[in-house]
């Protein structure tokens, strides 16, 4: 392509959104900001499409639909958190666009549907994913490790988790930790939803389901380990015992650059890493007793039939309630467990998934009162 690649950024005012604008700005001959969405904040940017407002408002949704299906749009960066990103993602994929996906919730709630939406364009072989390019650093790492490998040669994936702010403090009472403590992530600067998800380790549960759909790897062949330095972004083990990992600083501009430039590489996307920064790397087992989120996510994914959508929606609502100081931190995972236990199962169609999503939100709103007293 001789003209710059036209990029639409959904959630341009957020952490991923702003870093995406930075990557675009630093590569003006290669990328052009074609469109963007803003919520309550502003980027003061101009583009062919500027959509302001909240997802769910008819005017916002209609304009986003026009933007992501516009024939001039090449790549859509999806970085609006939560279930509300599903509609625009499906529209972009159905319109034949490449999607650089930060919003893992989309694949958690409707992974099979989303992967089907670009199946016609995929080349079949695992490393040649076309259509969806992961931005999550772990999935970007796995994606890069898989380039040049054949699916039958992959034994397992290993997702690394920083552990969030509480993992290294086993004596902390998780009923008592504050919103400020939960938002104080030791490694990454991110939006509030994903930061709280990192603290509960639900982020890793969501990423487990995301990896399963994205790479077509069975759930029982995906492991999680704690790696507090966040330098090894994830690993792939091959059948001969080789381990491939992608390493780098905790800087989301790198996976964003990888997603936008694929199959090319951008020069100097992030500063070079010194070997000293790679010293003292630690890896630990996940304590599923204290942090049961990954187990819950795995169980929900095995059950299917709307359970992943319930996991995701219940978690979104519970995180919202925690950030509003309505429930304690430990109430987030308890709420999700309660919702999963009460859910009778649904189907795999879009309607069934949206029903499961609505059911879970209502369940959490109705039942969060019982957690307030803690
Ligand atoms: N941040 C990271 O390092 C990181 C890493 C991996 C994956 N992710 C994933 O990327 C996604 C975005 O995360 P983030 O950290 O960038 O979030 P964030 O900083 O909270 O930004 C969210 C963006 O979405 C917009 N938005 C929020 N609610 C909206 C709504 N109802 N309607 C329309 N727009 C809305 C916000 O607009 P306003 O703020 O202007 O209202 C903002 O532009 C999440 O799914 C997260 O899990 C993030």
């Amino acid at each position: 392509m001789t003209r710059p690649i036209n990029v639409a950024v959904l959630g341009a005012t957020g952490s991923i959104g702003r870093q995406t604008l930075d990557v675009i700005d630093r590569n003006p001959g290669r990328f052009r900001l074609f469109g963007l969405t803003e919520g309550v904040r502003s980027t003061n940017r101009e583009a062919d499409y500027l959509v302001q407002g909240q997802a769910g408002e008819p005017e916002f949704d209609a304009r986003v639909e026009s933007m992501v299906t516009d024939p001039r749009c090449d790549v859509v960066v999806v970085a609006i958190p939560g279930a509300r990103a599903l509609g625009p993602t499906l529209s972009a994929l159905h319109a034949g666009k490449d999607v650089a996906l930060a919003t893992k919730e989309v694949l958690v709630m409707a992974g099979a549907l989303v992967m089907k939406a670009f199946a016609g364009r995929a080349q079949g072989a695992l490393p040649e994913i076309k259509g969806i390019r992961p931005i999550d650093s772990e999935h970007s790492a796995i994606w890069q490790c898989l380039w040049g490998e054949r699916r039958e040669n992959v034994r397992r994936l290993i997702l690394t988790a920083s552990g969030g702010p509480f993992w290294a403090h086993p004596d902390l009472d998780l009923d008592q930790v504050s919103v400020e403590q939960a938002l104080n992530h030791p490694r990454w600067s991110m939006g509030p939803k994903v930061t709280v998800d990192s603290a509960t380790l639900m982020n890793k549960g969501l990423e487990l389901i995301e990896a399963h759909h994205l790479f077509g790897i069975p759930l029982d062949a995906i492991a999680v380990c704690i790696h507090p330095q966040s330098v090894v972004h994830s690993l792939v083990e091959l059948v001969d015992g080789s381990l491939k990992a992608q390493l780098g600083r905790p800087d989301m501009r790198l996976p964003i650059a990888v997603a936008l430039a694929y199959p090319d590489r951008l020069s100097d996307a992030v500063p070079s890493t010194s070997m000293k920064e790679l010293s003292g790397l630690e890896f630990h087992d996940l304590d599923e007793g204290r942090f049961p989120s990954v187990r819950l996510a795995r169980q929900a994914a095995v059950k299917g039939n709307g359970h992943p959508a319930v996991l995701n929606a219940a978690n979104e609502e519970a995180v919202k309630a925690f950030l509003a100081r309505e429930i304690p931190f430990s109430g987030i995972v308890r709420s999700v467990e309660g919702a999963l236990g009460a859910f009778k199962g649904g189907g795999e169609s879009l309607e069934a998934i949206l029903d499961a999503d609505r059911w879970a939100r209502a369940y959490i709103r109705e039942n969060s009162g019982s957690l307030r007293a803690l």
Side-chain angles (χ1 to χ4, degrees):
M1 188 180 295
T2 48
R3 66 165 173 79
I5 293 169
N6 276 331
V7 183
V9 184
L10 311 188
T13 52
S15 164
I16 293 292
R18 281 184 278 108
Q19 294 179 86
T20 303
L21 298 185
D22 184 54
V23 173
I24 294 171
D25 289 348
R26 289 195 289 126
N27 296 275
R30 192 186 280 256
F31 303 118
R32 176 175 166 269
L33 181 61
F34 172 69
L36 68 156
T37 76
E38 300 176 339
V40 296
R41 295 175 281 179
S42 169
T43 57
N44 297 313
R45 295 303 187 105
E46 287 180 4
D48 294 15
Y49 286 83
L50 169 57
V51 186
Q52 290 165 315
Q54 297 295 301
E57 292 168 353
E59 202 170 314
F60 182 94
D61 290 352
R63 289 197 188 163
V64 171
E65 173 80 15
S66 306
M67 175 168 71
V68 303
T69 58
D70 189 305
R72 294 168 296 163
C73 176
D74 300 308
V75 179
V76 178
V77 175
V78 178
I80 292 176
R84 57 183 84 88
L86 176 61
T89 304
L90 286 173
S91 297
L93 288 170
H94 284 306
K97 310 301 178 190
D98 287 327
V99 170
L101 185 68
T103 309
K104 61 200 87 190
E105 294 92 333
V106 162
L107 283 174
V108 173
M109 69 185 292
L113 278 178
V114 173
M115 298 314 281
K116 218 193 276 173
F118 85 94
R121 292 186 292 137
Q123 301 297 298
L126 188 146
E128 294 172 34
I129 288 176
K130 293 219 167 89
I132 299 185
R133 307 171 186 180
I135 283 184
D136 233 341
S137 58
E138 295 77 359
H139 303 74
S140 177
I142 290 169
W143 188 39
Q144 293 175 64
C145 291
L146 290 173
W147 291 350
E149 300 293 349
R150 294 213 303 268
R151 175 192 297 262
E152 61 269 27
N153 288 337
V154 176
R155 180 183 285 159
R156 63 177 180 144
L157 311 181
I158 303 162
L159 291 167
T160 53
S162 70
F166 304 136
W167 172 82
H169 304 282
D171 297 334
L172 263 184
D173 179 353
L174 296 184
D175 279 337
Q176 302 298 334
V177 295
S178 67
V179 169
E180 290 71 22
Q181 284 173 295
L183 290 178
N184 186 22
H185 196 282
R187 297 279 163 197
W188 298 94
S189 166
M190 309 181 285
K193 157 71 168 55
V194 61
T195 305
V196 174
D197 285 346
S198 295
T200 58
L201 268 292
M202 185 59 82
N203 188 44
K204 221 43 61 178
L206 301 178
E207 288 178 4
L208 174 92
I209 302 177
E210 180 186 11
H212 165 65
H213 288 297
L214 205 46
F215 303 114
I217 298 290
L219 288 158
D220 60 7
I222 308 175
V224 171
C225 78
I226 301 288
H227 168 50
Q229 292 77 21
S230 298
V231 166
V232 176
H233 294 310
S234 277
L235 306 93
V236 171
E237 187 179 36
L238 301 169
V239 286
D240 59 4
S242 294
L243 276 172
K244 287 175 81 174
Q246 186 261 343
L247 286 72
R249 295 177 169 184
D251 185 333
M252 288 306 293
R253 289 173 305 168
L254 184 54
I256 292 168
V258 171
L260 289 183
Y262 176 79
D264 208 349
R265 294 272 184 180
L266 298 182
S267 293
D268 303 317
V270 292
S272 191
T273 306
S274 73
M275 294 312 286
K276 214 171 156 194
E277 289 174 78
L278 304 183
S279 61
L281 301 184
E282 299 165 50
F283 299 90
H284 303 272
D285 288 339
L286 172 66
D287 176 355
E288 294 206 356
R290 191 158 179 251
F291 296 103
S293 303
V294 172
R295 175 177 52 78
L296 286 179
R298 199 184 285 279
Q299 287 168 350
V302 168
K303 281 186 180 162
N305 284 324
H307 285 87
V310 168
L311 173 97
N312 178 61
N315 181 57
E316 273 186 54
E317 289 299 317
V319 169
K320 221 186 283 173
F322 168 68
L323 289 171
R325 299 173 202 274
E326 292 169 4
I327 64 171
F329 177 79
S330 54
I332 300 173
V333 175
R334 275 206 292 277
S335 301
V336 175
E337 193 161 20
L340 285 170
F343 184 58
K344 300 284 179 255
E348 301 284 6
S349 68
L350 183 58
E351 295 70 32
I353 285 167
L354 295 176
D355 278 350
D357 178 278
R358 277 189 290 271
W359 177 90
R361 289 175 199 280
Y363 177 90
I364 296 298
R365 283 195 292 268
E366 281 158 24
N367 291 282
S368 60
S370 58
L371 293 160
R372 270 180 208 146
L374 283 171

